[in-house]
Amino acid sequence: MAIRSTEESAFRISSASVRPEKHADLLEDIRLLWLDLRGLTHDHVKLATLEARRAGNSLASMVAAGVVMAVLLIGVWIGLMTAAVLALIQSNTVGPIEAVLLMAGANLVGALVLFWFIRRKSRYLLFPETVHSLRSKGES
C-alpha cells in the first residue's frame, strides 16, 4: 500500500476538491492493495507448488528405497529360515521335509497374524468417527 506523507495529506484536506481527491486516493489504495494481494497469493501458490514437487520427489525416493530394503530383508529372511531348517536337520530332531514344512507353517502363522492386524487397523482408514458425526448432523 502507498503511504503518503503528512504534508501531502494536509494539502489534499485543505484543497477545495476534497471529495473527488479522497475518492481517487481510495481507489488508488484499493488498486495497490489488490496488486499486493495478487503478488502475495502468487508467492504462496508458487511456494506450495515448489514444496509439493519436493515432497513428491522425496516420496518417490522413499518408495524406491523401501522397495530395495524390502528385497534385502526378504533375502535376510530366507537366509534365516534356511539356517533354521539346516539346524533342525543337523540336530536330527526332524527330517528335511518336516523341517521345511515346519518353517513354512511358522511363516504362514506369522502372515496370518499380520493379516489380522492389518484388517483391524484398516477400519480406521475410512475416518469412521468423522463420517458418523457428519451423518448425525445431516440426519438431525
Side-chain angles (χ1 to χ4, degrees), residues 84-114:
V85 166
L86 290 175
L88 284 172
I89 293 170
Q90 202 171 34
S91 68
N92 291 326
T93 309
V94 292
I97 293 175
E98 292 85 7
V100 171
L101 289 174
L102 184 65
M103 285 303 127
N107 283 326
L108 183 60
V109 167
L112 288 174
V113 167
L114 289 173

Side-chain angles (χ1 to χ4, degrees), residues 18-34:
V18 171
R19 289 199 177 262
E21 190 65 36
K22 277 187 176 180
H23 186 66
D25 283 348
L26 180 62
L27 289 176
E28 180 65 18
D29 287 346
I30 291 172
R31 188 184 73 78
L32 291 173
L33 180 63
W34 175 251

Side-chain angles (χ1 to χ4, degrees), residues 4 7 17 23-24 33 40 45 48 50-52 59 62-63 66-67 84-85 91 102-103 105 110 114-115 128 136 138:
R4 291 171 185 71
E7 292 174 5
S17 59
H23 186 66
L33 180 63
L40 184 63
V45 168
L50 291 172
E51 284 188 330
L59 179 63
M62 289 167 58
V63 168
V67 168
V85 166
S91 68
L102 184 65
M103 285 303 127
L114 289 173
F115 178 76
S136 296

Side-chain angles (χ1 to χ4, degrees), residues 44 52 94 106 126 132:
H44 282 292
V94 292
L126 301 175
H132 178 69

Side-chain angles (χ1 to χ4, degrees), residues 5-24:
S5 68
T6 53
E7 292 174 5
E8 190 178 325
S9 301
F11 174 74
R12 286 200 176 113
I13 291 172
S14 66
S15 69
S17 59
V18 171
R19 289 199 177 262
E21 190 65 36
K22 277 187 176 180
H23 186 66

